[in-house]
Amino acid sequence: MRHRVAHRKLGRTTSHRIALLRNLATALFERERIRTTLMKAKELRPYAEKLITLAKREENRLHSRRRVARDIQNPVVVRKLFDDLGARFAARPGGYTRILRLGPRQGDGAEMAIVELIGSEWKPEKKDDKGKKQAAKAAKAPAEAKPGKSEKPKQGARRSETPT
C-alpha cells in the first residue's frame, strides 16, 4: 500500500535524490528554464516553489536566506533568488513554475519536459526584427570571409609544384 508516501523515488537513493533536486533547482533559478524528464520536473516543481516562497517572505529575512542556502549551494543563485525572483513573485500567491511537455526523448523514449519560471517565457522575434538581423548578418559575411578560403582545391591537383 502507498499510504502516506509523498514523493517519487526516481530510481535513486535518498541522498542521491536530494542532490538531484538541489542541482535541478539551482539550474532552474540560474537559467530560469531547464529541460529534463517529466517525472523529475514534477518532483522539482513543489521543491522549487517552496524555496521561492521562502525567498519572497519579508519577515525573518536572514533565517529564510539561511534555510534556502542549505539547499542552494551557489551564493550567486541565492542572491538572485532573493533579490530578483522574490521581488518578481511578491504579489503572486503561488504557482511560480510551469511545466511544458515536449514528448518522448529520441534515445530511450523518456517523456521530456521544460520547467520554467513564470515571467521568463520565450518571446519570438518579430518579422521585421528578424529581417534586420538577417540583413546585418549578410552585410558582415562578405567582410569577414577571407579570400581563397571558400575555394576548394581541384581534384587531382598537387599542393606544391616545386620539386623536392
Side-chain angles (χ1 to χ4, degrees), residues 34-55:
I34 59 171
R35 183 174 182 257
T36 185
T37 63
L38 183 62
M39 291 301 114
K40 288 178 188 174
K42 286 182 175 184
E43 278 301 304
L44 174 63
R45 178 182 232 168
Y47 186 83
E49 292 197 4
K50 286 174 187 170
L51 294 175
I52 293 172
T53 301
L54 281 173

Side-chain angles (χ1 to χ4, degrees), residues 122-151:
W122 176 74
K123 296 175 183 81
E125 297 176 353
K126 295 179 182 177
K127 289 184 180 181
D128 57 329
D129 291 343
K130 191 175 184 181
K132 290 177 185 177
K133 287 185 179 182
Q134 286 178 349
K137 283 183 182 179
K140 285 184 181 179
E144 291 177 359
K146 295 181 181 176
K149 197 72 163 155
S150 61
E151 299 173 10

Side-chain angles (χ1 to χ4, degrees), residues 51 53-84 86:
L51 294 175
T53 301
L54 281 173
K56 71 176 202 169
R57 285 190 184 160
E58 289 299 321
E59 72 278 353
N60 295 328
R61 191 87 169 159
L62 179 61
H63 182 60
S64 298
R65 187 176 289 266
R66 286 178 176 166
R67 284 179 60 188
V68 168
R70 286 184 211 163
D71 295 327
I72 307 298
Q73 300 295 316
N74 189 342
V76 175
V77 176
V78 173
R79 195 173 309 117
K80 177 181 179 181
L81 181 61
F82 275 82
D83 296 343
D84 300 338

Side-chain angles (χ1 to χ4, degrees), residues 35-37 102-113:
R35 183 174 182 257
T36 185
T37 63
L102 295 176
R105 184 164 46 197
Q106 185 71 32
D108 60 356
E111 279 292 318
M112 298 301 290

Side-chain angles (χ1 to χ4, degrees), residues 5 22 34 50 60 94 100 118 160:
V5 177
R22 286 176 175 172
I34 59 171
K50 286 174 187 170
N60 295 328
L100 304 169
I118 302 293
S160 170

